[in-house]
């Protein structure tokens, strides 16, 4: 009988394209940023060298300004829309022109700490350290122009939670007029009922065309964007990565990089308090353009636990997850909310990568029992429903793409 870990390894090998891994065949035929970093955490369990390569390949496509793009289009494939001709970023190997949750700093430190081949780990970490530090610097320079310590995302795709309820209100300000006619490909691979709507896609594309008209000048995009949202989940990932990178830099004797990243993490952590909602008992997004918190208690506000939030906040987040009351945790939106949709992508379903980061953060904050419940629930899902992209939190039904890379990677981490 194939064990869960053998099954997970088979999926990671099957989706391996040599120097990068596709999230799943068909639906996502390129390299995605945060997928790759989390995938490396799975690969390290059976091939450490391959895990380093995954992150190295991603950073080989870092822009001169420091941004690491959300997709690298290594090989042409018209099974995905929008492809390289829509982005038109003018890169030698085409990439998208926006970024994704910066989990690389965290992944790098974890690979380094757990590596058995120490000389290789030290060489790889030394080479990647300044590149990740440059990405962090880019974030605060271009996405936090007021210097408040928190960065804005300019497109829902940057959050990694494409159609979260969090974006509904700020999306009302994004126009759709003038966008080029297009044909979606995602709805040919996956059930359209479980994907974002056309109204959302129109706005995703309006923003892409708007930034393209600015020649992808990342120094100008923030102020020119009608969509500027401070997402607690995204910021928690950045803050945690800054803190981890600071520790790694110390271990490698790079004291200036250590001090820089430690200061960014401390400032970000203090500023996270401005996103706390006593009414909801969790963190919320802030619409920077409108200057107000967004009344949407999504999983982004629970993912905030990934950085070193105060213990009382972690306790409140544990209570929120319990209050969801779903058979499988953690739902991406509370079932008690009118917008909850058990099968539609980021508006209700469970995602294993999010579970992994919440569980890790809660365990660090002293909520070990809550973390263990998330881990157990994640593995129950896999045993019942296989390695899907996401799952219905009530029935456990597997949804979206199948034989999914980062789901398999997270299983190897959960089992370790
Ligand atoms: C898309 C690859 C990506 C993830 C995102 C997820 C989805 C792609 O798939 O976005 O075209 O909608 O939302 O977080 O990185 O797995």
């Amino acid at each position: 009988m194939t064990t869960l870990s053998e099954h997970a390894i088979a999926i990671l090998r099957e989706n391996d394209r040599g120097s990068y891994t596709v999230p799943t065949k068909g639906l996502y035929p390129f390299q995605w940023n945060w997928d790759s970093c989390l995938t490396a955490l799975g690969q390290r369990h059976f091939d450490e060298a391959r895990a380093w390569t995954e992150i190295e390949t991603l950073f080989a496509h870092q822009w001169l300004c420091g941004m690491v793009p959300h997709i690298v289009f290594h090989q042409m494939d018209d099974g995905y829309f929008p492809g390289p001709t829509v982005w038109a970023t003018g890169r030698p190997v085409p990439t998208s022109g926006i970024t994704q949750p910066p989990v690389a700093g965290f992944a790098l430190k974890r690979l380094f700490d757990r590596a058995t081949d120490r000389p290789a780990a030290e060489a790889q970490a030394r080479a990647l350290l300044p590149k990740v530090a440059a990405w962090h610097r880019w974030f605060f320079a271009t996405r936090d122009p007021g210097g408040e310590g928190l960065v804005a995302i300019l497109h829902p795709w940057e959050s990694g939670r494409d159609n979260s309820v969090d974006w509904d209100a700020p999306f009302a300000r994004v126009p759709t007029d003038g966008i080029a006619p297009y044909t979606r490909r995602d709805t040919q691979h996956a059930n359209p009922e479980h994907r974002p709507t056309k109204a959302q896609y129109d706005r995703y594309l309006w923003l892409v065309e708007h930034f393209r008209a600015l020649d992808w000048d990342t120094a100008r995009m923030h102020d020119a964007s009608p969509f500027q949202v401070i997402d607690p989940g995204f910021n928690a990932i950045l803050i945690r990565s800054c803190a981890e990178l600071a520790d790694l830099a110390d271990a490698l004797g790079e004291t200036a990089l250590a001090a820089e990243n430690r200061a960014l993490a401390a400032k970000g952590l203090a500023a996270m308090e401005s996103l706390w909602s006593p009414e909801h008992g969790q963190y919320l997004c802030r619409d920077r353009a409108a200057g107000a918190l967004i009344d949407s208690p999504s999983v982004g506000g629970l993912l905030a636990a990934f950085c070193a939030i105060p213990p009382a906040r972690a306790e409140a987040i544990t209570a929120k997850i319990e209050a969801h009351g779903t058979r499988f945790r953690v739902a991406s939106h509370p079932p008690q909310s009118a917008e909850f949709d058990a099968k539609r992508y980021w508006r209700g379903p469970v995602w294993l990568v999010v579970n992994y980061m919440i569980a890790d953060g809660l365990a660090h904050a002293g909520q070990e029992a809550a973390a263990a419940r998330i881990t157990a629930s994640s593995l129950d899902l896999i045993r019942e429903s296989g390695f899907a992209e996401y799952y219905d939190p009530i029935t456990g039904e597997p949804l979206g793409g199948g034989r999914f890379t980062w789901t398999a990677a997270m299983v190897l981490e959960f089992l370790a």
Side-chain angles (χ1 to χ4, degrees):
M1 210 183 91
T2 324
T3 63
L4 273 192
S5 69
E6 284 165 350
H7 197 163
I9 292 170
I11 291 172
L12 290 175
R13 291 199 199 278
E14 184 178 302
N15 293 335
D16 185 352
R17 296 293 172 268
S19 62
Y20 68 96
T21 310
V22 298
T24 186
K25 260 188 292 196
L27 184 61
Y28 304 132
F30 310 111
Q31 182 177 25
W32 264 259
N33 184 324
W34 72 325
D35 293 64
S36 267
C37 297
L38 294 164
T39 295
L41 298 182
Q43 289 169 328
R44 79 181 173 87
H45 294 283
F46 61 97
D47 188 344
E48 252 170 52
R50 182 61 189 79
W52 287 111
T53 302
E54 188 73 23
I55 301 185
E56 219 174 49
T57 304
L58 178 67
F59 277 85
H61 300 277
Q62 182 170 30
W63 288 18
L64 264 183
C65 62
M67 185 185 78
V68 184
H70 102 290
I71 306 175
V72 183
F73 299 104
H74 291 280
Q75 280 185 348
M76 290 314 102
D77 189 318
D78 58 15
Y80 179 82
F81 176 85
T85 54
V86 177
W87 291 96
T89 53
R91 300 274 314 168
V93 172
T95 71
S96 73
I98 56 172
T99 193
Q100 248 192 341
V103 74
F106 166 80
L108 189 57
K109 176 67 167 27
R110 200 168 177 91
L111 284 185
F112 178 79
D113 285 348
R114 312 273 161 107
T116 52
D117 184 344
R118 297 310 307 167
E122 181 156 343
Q124 297 282 8
R126 233 178 242 296
L128 283 164
L129 176 74
K131 299 180 183 182
V132 181
W135 190 21
H136 292 175
R137 207 172 291 133
W138 170 84
F139 266 115
F140 291 98
T142 63
R143 300 304 184 83
D144 180 23
E148 68 161 302
L150 297 173
V151 301
I153 55 161
L154 308 182
H155 194 298
W157 285 339
E158 293 200 309
S159 72
R161 304 193 313 280
D162 308 14
N163 68 337
S164 166
V165 176
D166 295 348
W167 327 129
D168 291 2
F171 245 13
R173 256 195 324 275
V174 176
T176 58
D177 45 295
I179 53 168
Y182 66 94
T183 307
R184 284 174 67 171
R185 300 303 309 266
D186 59 313
T187 43
Q188 295 163 2
H189 297 287
N191 185 341
E193 298 292 309
H194 304 165
R195 295 279 310 174
T197 61
K198 174 171 174 0
Q200 284 157 345
Y201 257 78
D202 285 352
R203 286 168 177 82
Y204 297 153
L205 288 161
W206 187 91
L207 287 170
V208 169
E209 293 185 17
H210 183 62
F211 299 139
R212 192 179 64 203
L214 297 171
D215 293 327
W216 299 109
D217 178 350
T218 66
R220 287 197 293 157
M221 283 164 54
H222 178 277
D223 288 358
S225 180
F227 184 94
Q228 303 169 346
V229 177
I230 298 163
D231 168 17
F234 191 100
N235 277 279
I237 290 172
L238 178 56
I239 292 166
R240 175 75 183 269
S241 279
C242 286
E244 298 282 358
L245 203 73
D247 289 348
L248 178 66
D250 268 338
L252 296 173
E254 297 287 344
T255 49
L257 288 184
E260 180 188 2
N261 276 276
R262 193 154 290 127
L264 293 173
K267 189 171 175 187
L269 206 50
M272 281 286 284
E273 272 304 290
S274 69
L275 306 180
W276 181 257
S277 161
E279 187 196 337
H280 286 288
Q282 68 164 83
Y283 295 88
L284 297 178
C285 287
R286 185 183 341 119
D287 186 335
R288 185 178 267 165
L293 289 182
I294 299 172
D295 193 24
S296 166
S298 85
V299 77
L302 309 178
L303 181 52
F306 193 47
C307 68
I309 55 170
R313 301 282 186 242
E315 203 180 319
I317 285 176
T318 296
K320 281 299 283 197
I321 295 170
E322 292 303 321
H324 281 179
T326 53
R327 179 161 166 240
F328 298 102
R329 56 190 77 195
V330 178
S332 46
H333 209 70
Q336 295 78 10
S337 144
E339 291 87 358
F340 172 77
D341 187 337
K343 299 190 198 307
R344 207 184 270 277
Y345 219 34
W346 290 96
R347 300 176 78 89
V350 169
W351 294 72
L352 249 66
V353 285
V354 172
N355 281 4
Y356 171 77
M357 289 182 275
I358 296 178
D360 179 276
L362 288 180
H364 268 87
Q367 298 290 321
E368 287 89 353
R373 283 194 292 272
I374 294 173
T375 301
S377 172
S378 304
L379 292 172
D380 285 349
L381 260 180
I382 303 294
R383 286 189 195 99
E384 262 186 46
S385 305
F387 293 79
E389 186 178 8
Y390 46 99
Y391 305 85
D392 181 320
I394 296 162
T395 66
E397 183 188 336
L399 302 164
R403 300 186 71 74
F404 217 86
T405 296
W406 68 5
T407 304
M410 294 300 93
V411 168
L412 294 176
E413 281 284 80
F414 281 134
L415 289 171

